[in-house]
Amino acid sequence: MRRSVFLLSCLGFGYAFLYLPIALLVVWSFNASRIVNIWGGFSTKWYWELTRNDDFLAAAWLSLKVAATSATAALVLGTLAAVVLVRFGRFHGRLLFNGLIAAPLVMPEIILGLAMLLLFVALEQAIGWPDGRGFSTIVIAHTTVGMAYATVVVRSRLAQMDESLEEAALDLGARPIKVFFVITLPVIAPSLAAGWLLAFTLSLDDVVVAQFVSGPGATTLPIEVFSSVRLGVSPQVNALGTIIVCVVAVLIVVAWRLSMTRKER
């Protein structure tokens, strides 16, 4: 009995530690007062103010474009890297290739951001590209980071895949490229979706790397939020956070319902 009470207490404390700040964020987003820690009554005016904040809207649109582009590029490169590591067996330089793929997973983000900044500055001095730092440099940096995570996800699924399916298709006369698109990709489709979503989330949430590789005309939403709260938390930030929480919650519920529907079939 004592043990069960202790475990329930630990569980309750853990959930409160994780989700109570999010609940407070949602509550304070409806605070009418401009001072976030003084309750001034219920109001939704900060949501309307948020829709007229051009800086936040432009930053959000840029973040979505960067995240979608970098996640797609990271998935393509990560899938190719996973195929090489799983299907090609041993080859000269495999250890170095594997180390380069895994480096962004263990390297501090500040080191990655600084390395990317130095690379882009050197390229601009040498060949004139990139001309300043903006959308393209952020996409390249986020693709480099997201590719490592996509490779890990896709590689684990490829390693568990039954190779006899591919061998049977090859024996029946299918070309390797057709086997890859018709047999392999549909089998590993869930891991492809997971890798893309992981890379998309990492890009959308990144602050450290983006600060190094972004310029004055390209500010992502995390950087804009971080800059706005340095002088104090604005009620609009609470409203923005609530919107993001609600969108994520809806997507989770939809995904759960789709998975339950497939299981029932």
Side-chain angles (χ1 to χ4, degrees), residues 5-237:
V5 172
F6 175 75
L7 292 178
L8 290 176
S9 300
C10 292
L11 182 63
F13 176 79
Y15 276 112
F17 181 79
L18 291 174
Y19 296 108
L20 186 59
I22 298 177
L24 292 176
L25 171 72
V26 175
V27 172
W28 286 107
S29 68
F30 296 101
N31 182 18
S33 175
R34 184 174 294 272
I35 303 176
V36 294
N37 57 351
I38 298 178
W39 184 256
F42 182 86
S43 176
T44 59
K45 69 176 183 179
W46 300 117
Y47 289 90
W48 296 109
E49 291 290 334
L50 184 63
T51 60
R52 294 196 294 267
N53 193 321
D54 295 334
D55 293 334
F56 274 167
L57 294 178
W61 177 239
L62 177 64
S63 292
L64 290 175
K65 291 192 297 182
V66 168
T69 306
S70 61
T72 304
L75 180 62
V76 173
L77 297 176
T79 302
L80 295 177
V83 171
V84 170
L85 291 172
V86 175
R87 293 288 186 261
F88 280 49
R90 294 185 177 274
F91 57 89
H92 184 69
R94 176 186 173 89
L95 182 62
L96 176 61
F97 181 71
N98 196 12
L100 292 176
I101 292 296
L105 298 174
V106 297
M107 193 172 297
E109 288 187 343
I110 190 171
I111 302 300
L112 287 174
L114 180 59
M116 289 289 177
L117 174 61
L118 296 176
L119 172 65
F120 292 141
V121 171
L123 286 175
E124 185 176 4
Q125 294 177 349
I127 62 176
W129 182 90
D131 187 13
R133 291 177 295 280
F135 176 81
S136 59
T137 56
I138 302 175
V139 168
I140 293 173
H142 285 184
T143 300
T144 303
V145 177
M147 174 186 171
Y149 290 89
T151 302
V152 172
V153 176
V154 178
R155 181 182 179 180
S156 63
R157 182 64 185 92
L158 274 176
Q160 298 174 357
M161 179 180 171
D162 188 3
E163 296 186 26
S164 62
L165 297 174
E166 297 173 327
E167 294 172 355
L170 292 172
D171 291 340
L172 292 174
R175 295 180 178 273
I177 188 67
K178 185 176 182 179
V179 172
F180 178 75
F181 283 102
V182 177
I183 304 296
T184 307
L185 284 185
V187 173
I188 65 173
S191 65
L192 297 179
W196 189 90
L197 290 173
L198 182 58
F200 181 87
T201 304
L202 290 171
S203 174
L204 199 63
D205 186 57
D206 177 68
V207 176
V208 179
V209 176
Q211 281 188 323
F212 281 95
V213 299
S214 63
T219 303
T220 60
L221 184 59
I223 295 178
E224 185 69 29
V225 172
F226 180 75
S227 301
S228 65
V229 301
R230 295 176 70 178
L231 300 178
V233 179
S234 170
Q236 294 185 30
V237 175

